[in-house]
């Protein structure tokens, strides 16, 4: 835990809307958590009389030579006796009024304790960017001024300012020339240090001569966006010109208020005419806040739909829950889980409560958000990392108002400060995107959502067609215990059929070994080729799923076998095609290193270099060659990098502007496209054969989810899965849509090996630029841990990809039984075994151990 010597449990923190009595005399000193790397514990500051600081406020405080963000933790009647009062510095300002209710504060502390993370790091994740800012030291040129020190010097009568530079040392002269070359004459101290060796001496000299000024730039905090509004206060126009009358008339017709920019545009006028109207007393100009929130398209209103018997039963049970309970809503693809969510939320909003809906990735949010906005209008907000800092800041502040609302977001939205929370929903709860691998805290949104639901005393609904084995075991086990104890805290609700009794699409498995034996060397089997030809004839649409983006997964020399690799990572470079005639580019998918495709092998100079493997680009090219009549859209992280790209591409496809959607994992995540009748999986084997105990579970989930995109409309669906291992247990389970038998087989294997959900894991990730140091550090830590009892140590071992971005990576896996929680190591002692050059991340309950 971050603060070892301070007991935070009895802290009183700010409740929203609570009134505070003035405690100027009692609360003259305040302890704060400071947002500064390396700082530990609480720091004491003096509370100025002019500031009404409340617990939980975000403050700006001086810390060393900079100003940093801080959280007000508790008041002190007297400072620590070891601190001389004259050395205690004052709080600079209040950045944001406190919003940490006691349940929210407890949640943050629980996250810090469970994930072995400094509390300030957790707070930083919970807050929108920019609220905890850091000042920086800057140096600026003093234009035409000479310090009094020069005037008092022995050069007083002979030295004029332009000649000062001739008496400077070379370092000071270099800095002066650097500043003079820039129009503003202003650089950060850090930048000057990069450009000039021993810069601090030169700056000290220039400050002494009065040629430059050293100052502290306050943190660039996110602030409300203000815009000028024009308000009409007098409509009589006796002394106005014709032009001025026009402006007054426009304002009168528009209700007496307009944004200045809008008014000037309508009237084709300049701001000088508005100043005249202000002077004559007809209008006033006010600065008003404009909320920066993500704007969706205009949508027609939507009404609640009639439910199937299974949907109605699930809704009735969810609405009957009073207080905390965990609900696993296990519904096959297309069974109408979203409609259950919508109807569960509707009465809560009428009761003045809010709902939080978490989705795995941004790509999911356009469709889901549109459905929620069509039902609930402007009560729906979106919160995720792809929003601008201003949009996140304003959306976050809107939550604090306490108005009943629905917030839809990715994993970081689990910290959304919604007061009066009535329901939390995790859609596609099995998805690994809910887990953060880095930076710390390495939290799982599902775990935190469960804690939050407990603290807020509201239900948590986990929805999925392919539940994670952790949720499956946890809910079924607790449900059984609840039946015995007559206290339900867990519910398993099943939606076994699609709405309108539509059948699940039949899954056809194609053995690509037979295709090859029968002379088909195409990446498309004959069955898939036939299905693609029928698509346009029938005016239907299809989806092709490919495991990887790019054109080819690696480039190899056919003469000597040399594979082109990234110089910074131990992986092969993938070929990315840009456009016809453009240079051929090779790119690393780990560090984004890019180089041109060589004409000759770097090892043997052979010209015979060949592309191997198939990414989304290669498949798209092959489709264009074999099926020129098919219109297609690529949907992967290459084509959806720009803001709004997910929505644009999906809208184009939904409007029938393409016959085929070709993409990666994104296609599996909750897309509801009723016109899709065909789903093709080009190569299922890329998902199956990975050195990870979760590989089978992930492969089953991915293939089942992508298969579920077919046949959601009036026309029946068809799924074609191409594989070289049709006998694999995952392929067999996907063929029959059989979650039960797959989970039973997989759980037996996990239990035998004591892997989750029966055992618990903690993964230590070490990385360094020095391969010897990181290996030595890993061995030292593993040796120290093996001296303790109660857990099993696996490793140390190099990561499956040893080097990424020039950093060498080693791992140590700790495995133990959750029922008999061992005395886990003192993590601060473990960290102390790492030299400064080695980075250590403690990943609790890791999903990715490769």
């Amino acid at each position: 835990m971050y603060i070892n010597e301070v007991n935070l449990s009895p802290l009183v923190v700010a409740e929203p809307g609570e009134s505070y009595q003035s405690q100027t005399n009692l609360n003259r000193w305040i302890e704060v958590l400071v947002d500064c790397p390396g700082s530990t514990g609480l720091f004491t500051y003096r509370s100025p009389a002019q500031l009404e600081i409340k617990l939980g406020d975000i403050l700006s405080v001086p810390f060393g030579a900079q100003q940093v963000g801080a959280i007000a933790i508790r008041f002190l009647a007297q400072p620590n006796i070891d601190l001389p009062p004259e050395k205690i510095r004052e709080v600079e300002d209040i950045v944001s009024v406190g919003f940490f209710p006691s349940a929210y504060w407890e949640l943050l502390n629980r996250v810090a304790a469970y994930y072995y993370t400094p509390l300030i790091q957790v707070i930083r994740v919970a807050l929108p960017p920019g609220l905890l800012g850091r000042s920086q030291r800057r140096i600026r040129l003093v234009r035409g001024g000479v310090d009094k020190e020069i005037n008092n010097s022995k050069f007083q009568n002979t030295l004029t300012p332009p000649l000062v530079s001739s008496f400077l040392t070379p370092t000071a002269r270099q800095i002066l020339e650097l500043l003079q070359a820039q129009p503003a004459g202003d650089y950060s101290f850090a930048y000057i240090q990069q450009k000039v060796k021993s810069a601090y001496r030169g700056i000290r000299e220039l400050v002494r001569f009065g040629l430059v000024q050293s100052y502290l730039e306050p943190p660039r905090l996110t602030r409300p966006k203000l815009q000028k509004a024009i308000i009409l206060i007098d409509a009589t126009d006796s002394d106005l010109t014709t032009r001025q009358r026009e402006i007054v008339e426009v304002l009168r017709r528009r209700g007496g208020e307009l944004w200045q920019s809008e008014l000037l545009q309508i009237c084709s006028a300049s701001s000088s005419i508005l100043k005249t109207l202000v002077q004559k007393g007809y209008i006033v100009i006010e600065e008003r806040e404009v909320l920066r929130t993500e704007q969706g398209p205009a949508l027609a209103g939507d009404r609640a739909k009639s439910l199937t018997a299974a949907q109605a039963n699930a809704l009735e049970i969810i609405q009957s829950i009073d207080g905390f309970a965990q609900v696993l809503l296990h519904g096959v693809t297309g069974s109408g889980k979203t409609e259950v969510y919508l109807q569960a939320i509707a009465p809560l909003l009428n009761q003045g409560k809010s709902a939080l809906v978490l989705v795995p990735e941004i790509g999911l949010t356009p469709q889901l958000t549109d459905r929620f906005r069509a039902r609930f209008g402007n009560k729906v907000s979106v919160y995720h990392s792809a929003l601008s800092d201003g949009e996140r800041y304003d959306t976050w502040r809107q939550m604090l108002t306490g108005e009943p609302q629905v917030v839809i977001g990715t994993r970081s939205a689990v910290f959304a400060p919604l007061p009066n929370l009535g329901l939390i929903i995790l859609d596609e709860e099995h998805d690994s995107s809910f887990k953060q691998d880095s930076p710390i805290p390495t939290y799982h949104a599902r775990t935190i959502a469960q804690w939050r639901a407990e603290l807020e005393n509201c239900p948590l609904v986990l929805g999925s067609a392919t539940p994670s084995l952790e949720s499956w075991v946890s809910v079924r086990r607790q449900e059984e215990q609840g039946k015995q104890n007559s206290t339900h805290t867990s519910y398993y609700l099943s939606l076994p059929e699609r709405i309108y009794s539509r059948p699940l699409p039949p899954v056809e498995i194609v053995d690509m070994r037979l295709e090859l034996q029968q002379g088909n060397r195409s990446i498309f089997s004959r069955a898939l080729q036939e299905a693609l030809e029928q698509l346009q004839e029938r005016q239907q649409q299809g989806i092709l799923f490919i495991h990887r983006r790019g054109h080819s997964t690696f480039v190899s020399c056919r003469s000597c076998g040399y594979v082109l690799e990234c110089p910074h990572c131990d992986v092969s470079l993938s070929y990315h095609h840009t456009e016809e005639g453009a240079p051929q580019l090779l790119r690393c998918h780990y560090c984004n290193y890019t180089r041109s495709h060589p004409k000759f092998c770097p090892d043997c100079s052979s010209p015979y270099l060949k592309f191997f493997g198939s990414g989304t680009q290669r498949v798209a090219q092959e489709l264009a060659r074999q099926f020129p009549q098919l219109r297609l859209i690529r949907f992967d992280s290459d084509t959806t990098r720009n803001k709004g790209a997910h929505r644009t591409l999906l809208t184009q496809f939904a409007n029938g502007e393409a016959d085929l959607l070709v993409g990666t994992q994104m296609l599996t995540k909750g897309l509801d496209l009723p016109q899709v009748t065909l789903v093709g999986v080009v190569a299922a084997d890329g998902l199956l054969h990975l050195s990870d105990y979760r590989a089978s579970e992930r492969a089953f989930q991915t293939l089942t989810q992508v298969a579920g995109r077919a046949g959601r409309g009036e026309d029946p669906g068809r799924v074609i899965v191409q594989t070289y291992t049709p006998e694999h247990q995952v392929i067999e389970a996907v063929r029959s849509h059989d979650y039960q038998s797959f989970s039973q087989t997989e759980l037996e294997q996990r239990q035998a090996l004591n892997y989750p959900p029966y055992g618990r894991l903690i993964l230590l990730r070490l990385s360094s630029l020095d391969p010897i140091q990181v290996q030595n550090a890993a061995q030292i830590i593993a040796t120290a841990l093996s001296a303790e009892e109660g857990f099993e140590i696996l490793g140390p071992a190099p990561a499956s990809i040893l080097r990424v971005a020039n950093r060498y990576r080693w791992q140590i896996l700790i495995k133990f039984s959750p029922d008999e929680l061992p005395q886990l190591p003192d993590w601060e002692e473990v960290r102390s075994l790492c030299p400064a050059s080695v980075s250590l991340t403690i990943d609790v309950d890791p999903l990715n151990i490769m």
Side-chain angles (χ1 to χ4, degrees):
M1 185 57 195
Y2 183 58
I3 301 168
N4 296 320
E5 298 170 10
V6 182
N7 180 14
L8 292 176
S9 54
L11 291 181
V12 180
V13 289
E15 294 281 358
E18 192 175 325
S19 61
Y20 291 84
Q21 296 175 348
S22 177
Q23 300 183 10
T24 309
N25 295 326
L26 290 174
N27 301 329
R28 196 172 168 201
W29 291 277
I30 188 163
E31 286 192 319
V32 303
L33 262 179
V34 173
D35 179 28
C36 190
S39 64
T40 56
L42 299 174
F43 292 86
T44 306
Y45 285 83
R46 184 180 285 109
S47 174
Q50 71 272 19
L51 293 182
E52 278 195 47
I53 298 173
K54 303 183 186 83
L55 298 173
D57 282 358
I58 299 168
L59 311 173
S60 183
V61 299
F63 193 77
Q66 55 185 347
Q67 272 180 291
V68 298
I71 311 288
I73 298 296
R74 66 181 176 193
F75 293 115
L76 298 176
Q78 290 292 329
N80 191 308
I81 53 170
D82 297 333
L83 280 174
E86 66 276 8
K87 293 209 172 172
I88 299 176
R89 302 165 81 178
E90 277 197 346
V91 172
E92 289 281 340
D93 203 356
I94 299 172
V95 174
S96 181
V97 176
F99 72 98
F100 292 105
S102 54
Y104 192 88
W105 187 250
E106 189 177 334
L107 177 76
L108 298 181
N109 274 280
R110 195 182 287 190
V111 173
Y114 187 83
Y115 291 103
Y116 310 113
T117 303
L119 181 59
I120 194 69
Q121 288 280 104
V122 180
I123 291 170
R124 207 178 288 146
V125 170
L127 297 181
L131 268 181
L132 290 175
R134 183 166 292 111
S135 60
Q136 67 170 343
R137 177 67 55 190
R138 297 187 71 86
I139 310 298
R140 70 176 155 219
L141 209 55
V142 176
R143 305 279 184 187
V146 180
D147 192 82
K148 63 183 179 183
E149 232 179 276
I150 294 178
N151 294 329
N152 294 333
S153 74
K154 61 182 179 180
F155 303 114
Q156 184 177 353
N157 298 322
T158 59
L159 189 66
T160 57
L163 296 175
V164 171
S165 63
S166 62
F167 291 91
L168 298 174
T169 61
T171 302
R173 197 178 302 126
Q174 197 179 343
I175 294 167
L176 191 63
E177 288 167 2
L178 189 69
L179 290 164
Q180 286 171 336
Q182 199 227 31
D186 191 318
Y187 277 123
S188 71
F189 179 63
Y191 177 78
I192 294 172
Q193 273 186 314
Q194 285 175 5
K195 294 291 179 185
V196 182
K197 194 176 179 182
S198 303
Y200 66 95
R201 289 179 185 160
I203 289 169
R204 199 165 55 193
E205 187 179 342
L206 291 170
V207 169
R208 189 160 51 83
F209 281 125
L211 295 172
V212 301
Q213 188 180 41
S214 170
Y215 71 99
L216 204 62
E217 182 186 53
R220 294 183 181 177
L221 303 170
T222 309
R223 296 291 185 193
K225 182 183 178 183
L226 300 176
Q227 198 168 307
K228 287 180 179 175
I230 311 298
I231 299 104
L232 183 67
I233 54 173
D234 187 356
T236 60
D237 53 5
S238 53
D239 59 340
L240 297 181
T241 65
T242 306
R243 195 83 179 88
Q244 290 166 351
R245 278 197 191 96
E246 282 178 24
I247 290 174
V248 169
E249 182 58 23
V250 168
L251 274 169
R252 191 180 61 74
R253 286 202 308 267
R254 296 294 189 95
E257 288 188 14
L258 265 179
W259 294 115
Q260 177 175 301
S261 55
E262 193 180 348
L263 179 63
L264 294 177
Q265 191 176 6
I266 292 169
C267 301
S268 300
S270 67
S271 55
S272 59
I273 198 168
L274 298 181
K275 288 177 185 172
T276 309
L277 286 170
V278 170
Q279 289 164 4
K280 290 185 175 183
Y282 283 88
I283 62 171
V284 291
I285 301 176
E286 274 184 12
E287 282 209 324
R288 290 187 177 173
E289 183 180 351
V290 186
L291 283 175
R292 295 157 292 196
T293 53
E294 186 182 69
Q295 298 301 313
L299 299 165
D302 177 39
R303 292 185 178 179
K305 295 174 174 57
S306 58
L307 302 178
T308 64
Q311 282 177 307
N313 177 59
L315 178 64
E316 185 183 347
I317 290 173
I318 292 168
Q319 290 182 331
S320 70
I321 296 169
D322 183 20
F324 167 71
Q326 186 168 299
V327 177
L328 179 58
L329 184 62
H330 183 187
V332 297
T333 53
S335 58
K337 292 184 287 294
T338 305
E339 186 62 31
V340 174
Y341 303 155
L342 290 164
Q343 295 196 29
I345 289 169
L348 294 175
L349 295 174
N350 296 330
Q351 295 163 26
K353 294 182 178 180
S354 292
L356 178 60
V357 181
L358 300 178
V359 294
E361 286 192 35
I362 304 158
L364 254 182
T365 55
Q367 273 202 319
L368 196 75
T369 306
D370 288 353
R371 282 197 65 181
F372 272 77
R373 281 192 172 133
R375 191 72 58 92
F376 302 126
N378 59 7
K379 289 183 178 177
V380 177
S381 300
V382 178
Y383 192 75
H384 53 68
S385 58
L387 299 177
S388 69
D389 286 359
E391 286 172 335
R392 287 179 77 184
Y393 176 62
D394 285 355
T395 306
W396 177 82
R397 285 167 56 241
Q398 216 172 343
M399 296 177 208
L400 296 176
T401 61
E403 293 291 317
Q405 56 194 295
V406 181
V407 170
I408 302 173
T410 48
R411 65 174 176 249
S412 61
V414 75
F415 295 105
L418 282 168
N420 209 11
L421 197 52
L423 179 66
I424 301 175
I425 295 168
L426 254 82
D427 193 31
E428 309 294 346
E429 67 84 30
H430 64 276
D431 200 282
S432 58
S433 303
F434 283 123
K435 177 73 163 69
Q436 175 152 304
D437 289 333
S438 68
I440 56 172
T442 57
Y443 68 93
H444 198 303
R446 184 178 60 227
T447 304
I448 298 179
Q450 184 181 332
W451 295 340
R452 188 148 191 212
E454 286 173 12
L455 292 165
E456 301 279 359
N457 201 30
C458 72
L460 167 66
V461 176
L462 307 174
S464 177
T466 53
S468 64
L469 294 178
E470 282 85 351
S471 296
W472 173 260
V473 168
S474 169
V475 170
R476 298 307 294 259
R477 184 188 291 157
Q478 288 183 40
E479 193 186 38
E480 288 303 315
Q481 290 171 355
K483 283 176 182 173
Q484 294 166 14
N485 303 332
S486 70
T487 55
H488 267 300
T489 55
S490 285
Y491 296 84
Y492 173 76
L493 305 177
S494 176
L495 303 178
E497 293 181 357
R498 286 185 160 184
I499 54 170
Y500 308 122
S501 301
R502 289 178 184 134
L504 285 167
V507 179
E508 185 180 333
I509 307 299
V510 178
D511 188 342
M512 293 302 283
R513 296 172 300 188
L514 294 178
E515 291 286 314
L516 198 60
Q517 286 171 17
Q518 291 164 11
N520 179 16
R521 295 186 176 276
S522 167
I523 56 175
F524 306 122
S525 62
R526 286 165 301 175
L528 187 53
Q529 288 177 29
E530 180 192 328
L532 290 169
E533 283 166 0
Q534 290 173 357
L535 265 188
Q536 206 172 33
E537 291 171 19
R538 298 176 180 176
Q539 293 188 323
Q540 295 172 339
Q541 289 180 305
I543 284 175
L544 274 193
F545 171 75
I546 296 95
H547 180 47
R548 292 188 63 153
R549 62 194 170 100
H551 180 283
S552 301
T553 51
F554 67 97
V555 180
S556 176
C557 172
R558 284 186 290 177
S559 298
C560 71
Y562 178 84
V563 174
L564 275 79
E565 293 192 340
C566 174
H568 312 301
C569 312
D570 289 339
V571 292
S572 57
L573 292 172
S574 299
Y575 168 51
H576 281 246
H577 179 78
T578 47
E579 58 188 45
E580 290 304 323
Q584 294 179 321
L585 294 178
L586 304 179
R587 182 179 296 159
C588 173
H589 285 180
Y590 285 82
C591 73
N592 218 28
Y593 166 81
T594 305
R595 63 158 291 173
S596 60
H597 178 57
K599 290 184 177 179
F600 303 99
C601 172
D603 202 41
C604 73
S605 302
S606 165
Y608 302 114
L609 292 168
K610 188 182 178 189
F611 301 129
F612 288 85
S614 302
T616 46
Q617 280 188 326
R618 166 93 187 280
V619 171
Q621 277 187 348
E622 195 64 22
L623 281 167
R625 189 181 67 79
Q626 287 194 43
F627 307 97
Q629 77 282 7
L630 279 179
R631 300 164 300 160
L632 63 92
I633 290 174
R634 256 178 67 215
F635 193 69
D636 57 28
S637 56
D638 286 336
T639 60
T640 56
R641 282 181 180 162
N642 297 332
K643 191 172 180 179
H646 295 88
R647 179 185 292 280
T648 305
L649 294 176
L650 289 175
T651 303
Q652 287 173 357
F653 189 68
N655 291 343
E657 293 175 36
D659 307 303
L660 208 55
L661 198 60
V662 179
T664 51
Q665 300 302 82
M666 291 182 182
L667 295 175
T668 69
K669 304 190 181 198
L671 296 184
D672 187 21
L673 300 163
Q675 62 276 37
V676 170
T677 56
L678 171 69
V679 166
V681 179
V682 175
D685 305 274
L687 296 166
L688 298 173
H689 310 294
L690 299 173
S691 56
D692 183 350
Y693 75 94
R694 289 182 184 273
S696 291
E697 182 185 4
R698 283 204 191 104
F700 175 80
Q701 289 167 341
T702 301
L703 294 172
T704 302
Q705 291 285 344
V706 77
R709 302 310 112 203
R712 295 166 83 100
E714 297 296 330
D715 298 319
R718 180 186 182 189
V719 180
I720 298 172
V721 178
Q722 299 184 166
T723 176
Y724 286 91
T725 50
E727 67 282 355
H728 197 287
Q729 60 152 358
V730 169
I731 301 295
E732 289 291 338
V734 169
R735 186 205 298 265
S736 53
H737 299 280
D738 191 352
Y739 177 85
Q740 303 274 2
S741 68
F742 168 76
S743 60
Q744 187 175 343
T745 306
E746 184 67 13
L747 285 170
E748 284 171 5
Q749 294 174 10
R750 298 272 188 97
Q751 193 165 19
L753 297 168
N754 198 30
Y755 273 115
Y758 300 104
R760 268 194 67 202
L761 302 176
I762 295 175
L763 181 66
L764 307 186
R765 290 195 179 95
L766 296 95
S767 74
S768 174
L769 294 169
D770 187 322
I772 305 300
Q773 283 204 329
V774 70
Q775 182 177 351
N776 289 344
Q779 285 170 343
I780 289 166
I781 289 173
T783 303
L785 292 175
S786 60
E788 302 186 37
E789 294 181 357
F791 47 83
E792 184 183 349
I793 305 290
L794 302 178
S800 59
I801 299 172
L802 174 61
R803 188 173 52 117
V804 171
N806 277 334
R807 294 190 71 87
Y808 294 85
R809 311 180 314 151
W810 279 69
Q811 297 181 163
I812 302 167
L813 193 64
I814 299 174
K815 189 159 62 161
F816 54 94
S817 168
D819 301 327
E820 302 167 14
L821 195 65
Q823 188 63 42
L824 287 171
D826 181 331
W827 295 113
E828 288 309 311
E829 277 185 25
V830 172
R831 285 186 192 281
S832 69
L833 298 173
C834 268
S837 61
V838 176
S839 163
L840 170 64
T841 301
I842 301 167
D843 189 352
V844 178
D845 304 330
L847 289 191
N848 178 20
I849 61 170
M850 290 181 69

